Amino acid sequence: MKKFLWCFVLLCFGTGLFFCQENLQSSEVTEDTKEKDKETILYGLDDDIIALLDEFTQNQTYFYLDEIFATFERTRSVALRDKIISYFTAAEDNRLKDYALEVLEDPFDTSDSTVSLLFKYVSQLKIEEAAPLARALLENEYMEYFDAALTALSELGTGDDALFLAEYIDREDLTLVQRQSVMKALGRLKAVETWDALVSIVQDEEENSFIRMYAAEAIGAMEKEETVDVLAPIFETKDSLLRASVVKAMGYYPQNETAKAIIIEGIRDSHYKVRLEGIAAAKEHSMTDAAPYIFYRAKNDPETSVKYAAYDALVALNYEEGVEYLQTQLKNTNFSDAAKVEIAKAFIKYNNGSGINVVIEVARETLKDDKKKNLRYALGKLFASYENASFADICKEYLASADVATVGTGLDMYAKNKFPSVTAEVEKIAADEKSGVNKNKAQKILDRE
């Protein structure tokens, strides 16, 4: 109870929830479970350790880092080493920093998979000392490391690195894919020093369409106001992918009236990829003027992917008429279950209270009808993916089901939220020999409390 109150106090200060969760995850694991996990990490088979790390990663919990690091130092298994690198990347833990820098300085005796993961590691942890190492590999034309080194340099590099990368633009020995990667890297670096060169590429109608497309996105990311005037005429091109890139680039200028007009026009474009970019840009920048156009797409677009993107955007923008429409469709027996799941996902993702109430109402109806099991499972999976106190009652109802899979889904909800009002039901399942696989699952969840 004290821990619960302490978590609540921290929550009130905004950042405390994360701290509370981490402490609950690390301090409330039973001693038996701790010892078993540590023994697995230190002495277990590689496959067992990998499975345990997969479990931790899935739950976003980062236990026993010292023991895992000790295992990393002794293992000769590439698969296990790579798994540990991925785990420390997700944990954003710097224990592998020295190893990463050592390998990236001389990667030739290390597996390509490990080198690639180490580049992701230094990028995620923003280890700036890795930037010159990535550049050195590019300068010495070790092309087997081109993509990984280029991506890392784009995340960690400086203006000088941008100018260095700009020299690759006209190289004839690069593949089309590599040239595209260079364009993306310059965009991530927001290398304004290369703006003029990229504008020339965007305006060159003889240039490869994909190169022009990524160049357009790159100059957009540089956030130079002149970019709008450069790209506006190009939106009239017949090349739908280039139009999509122009719309995406316009998203960097949400206060510019020309950019806003092109984004809205993109939502009405004949090609679905352009419409997707228009909806994404409008959502990201809270363009309420675009909401009616998105609402129309939600109701009438011939492409399912565009409809689903429109559902998400309507909830994100909190467009009242659109939200009411989506709530109605959730309860519409003639509406597809797949579409209902997408609507539910949006309501839960953006914590839309009235929408969540309808999602719970629909889930409750599925518990009464085994013909709706698939929808029941899908909604339960959504509930289990988010922390929300309002899911406590529906969790309890899932646990009360006679269907084994439904109960398992209810346990997933509980594992994510640890509802105090539901603990007794989980304890009953853990103690019931007739609960089968759910008995062990429930006990494991309780062991980690």
Side-chain angles (χ1 to χ4, degrees), residues 244 246-252 254 259 262-264 267 274-287 290 294 313 317:
V246 169
V247 172
K248 184 174 183 178
M250 292 300 179
Y252 290 96
I262 289 176
I263 290 171
I264 290 176
I267 297 172
V274 185
R275 300 199 295 278
L276 285 172
E277 290 294 351
I279 291 170
K283 180 184 73 173
E284 181 178 356
H285 299 289
S286 301
M287 290 177 54
I294 297 173
L317 294 171

Side-chain angles (χ1 to χ4, degrees), residues 258-273:
T258 298
K260 288 167 63 177
I262 289 176
I263 290 171
I264 290 176
E265 192 64 21
I267 297 172
R268 301 174 58 249
D269 195 90
S270 60
H271 198 280
Y272 78 98
K273 289 187 177 180

Side-chain angles (χ1 to χ4, degrees), residues 123-186:
S123 297
Q124 181 68 28
L125 273 70
K126 304 299 180 187
I127 299 174
E128 295 179 356
E129 298 97 314
L133 305 180
R135 178 167 172 170
L137 291 173
L138 293 171
E139 286 177 330
N140 290 294
E141 301 190 356
Y142 294 113
M143 302 308 284
E144 63 266 40
Y145 305 118
F146 183 88
D147 288 334
L150 180 64
T151 300
L153 192 60
S154 73
E155 297 287 347
L156 304 171
T158 64
D160 288 341
D161 295 314
L163 292 174
F164 161 71
L165 291 179
E167 296 175 5
Y168 281 74
I169 291 175
D170 297 320
R171 282 183 50 165
E172 296 181 355
D173 59 326
L174 295 185
T175 67
L176 176 60
V177 172
Q178 288 171 333
R179 290 189 69 207
Q180 291 172 15
S181 297
V182 170
M183 296 298 169
K184 293 179 184 178
L186 292 172

Side-chain angles (χ1 to χ4, degrees), residues 95-384:
R95 285 174 174 80
L96 300 183
K97 176 180 176 180
D98 291 342
Y99 172 80
L101 294 175
E102 180 181 346
V103 170
L104 295 181
E105 186 174 10
D106 183 13
F108 310 106
D109 294 328
T110 306
S111 73
D112 289 348
S113 64
T114 302
V115 173
S116 179
L117 287 171
L118 288 173
F119 271 122
K120 292 179 181 178
Y121 174 80
V122 297
S123 297
Q124 181 68 28
L125 273 70
K126 304 299 180 187
I127 299 174
E128 295 179 356
E129 298 97 314
L133 305 180
R135 178 167 172 170
L137 291 173
L138 293 171
E139 286 177 330
N140 290 294
E141 301 190 356
Y142 294 113
M143 302 308 284
E144 63 266 40
Y145 305 118
F146 183 88
D147 288 334
L150 180 64
T151 300
L153 192 60
S154 73
E155 297 287 347
L156 304 171
T158 64
D160 288 341
D161 295 314
L163 292 174
F164 161 71
L165 291 179
E167 296 175 5
Y168 281 74
I169 291 175
D170 297 320
R171 282 183 50 165
E172 296 181 355
D173 59 326
L174 295 185
T175 67
L176 176 60
V177 172
Q178 288 171 333
R179 290 189 69 207
Q180 291 172 15
S181 297
V182 170
M183 296 298 169
K184 293 179 184 178
L186 292 172
R188 283 192 292 267
L189 280 168
K190 298 191 175 183
V192 293
E193 302 91 342
T194 64
W195 188 83
D196 290 332
L198 294 183
V199 166
S200 297
I201 290 173
V202 171
Q203 294 176 330
D204 183 1
E205 295 184 359
E206 300 301 316
E207 179 59 87
N208 176 271
S209 177
F210 287 99
I211 297 297
R212 294 181 72 195
M213 180 177 76
Y214 290 118
E217 294 177 13
I219 63 172
M222 294 174 192
E223 300 185 61
K224 284 174 63 74
E225 200 68 25
E226 305 94 304
T227 298
V228 174
D229 291 334
V230 169
L231 293 181
I234 295 174
F235 183 68
E236 298 178 8
T237 179
K238 294 181 180 180
D239 186 331
S240 59
L241 295 181
L242 185 53
R243 291 201 307 277
S245 290
V246 169
V247 172
K248 184 174 183 178
M250 292 300 179
Y252 290 96
Y253 309 90
Q255 305 306 318
N256 185 291
E257 292 302 320
T258 298
K260 288 167 63 177
I262 289 176
I263 290 171
I264 290 176
E265 192 64 21
I267 297 172
R268 301 174 58 249
D269 195 90
S270 60
H271 198 280
Y272 78 98
K273 289 187 177 180
V274 185
R275 300 199 295 278
L276 285 172
E277 290 294 351
I279 291 170
K283 180 184 73 173
E284 181 178 356
H285 299 289
S286 301
M287 290 177 54
T288 55
D289 290 350
Y293 299 89
I294 297 173
F295 185 29
Y296 185 87
R297 299 264 64 85
K299 294 186 293 184
N300 301 292
D301 204 278
E303 292 289 336
T304 299
S305 60
V306 177
K307 279 189 173 183
Y308 289 175
Y311 298 163
D312 185 84
L314 288 173
V315 181
L317 294 171
N318 199 24
Y319 182 60
E320 184 176 357
E321 188 176 358
V323 168
E324 290 177 355
Y325 165 78
L326 295 178
Q327 291 178 8
T328 299
Q329 296 305 93
L330 264 179
K331 294 183 284 188
N332 183 351
T333 57
N334 295 320
F335 207 58
S336 78
D337 285 351
K340 288 181 180 181
V341 172
E342 291 300 318
I343 294 172
K345 186 185 301 181
F347 282 139
I348 294 173
K349 175 182 176 181
Y350 298 109
N351 198 24
N352 182 284
S354 60
I356 287 175
N357 288 338
V358 177
V359 176
I360 292 173
E361 178 184 337
V362 172
R364 188 167 282 131
E365 289 299 314
T366 69
L367 290 167
K368 303 173 185 176
D369 185 354
D370 281 348
K371 293 179 181 179
K372 299 179 180 178
K373 276 185 179 180
N374 289 336
L375 179 58
R376 181 198 306 170
Y377 299 151
L379 295 180
K381 185 177 180 180
L382 288 177
F383 294 139

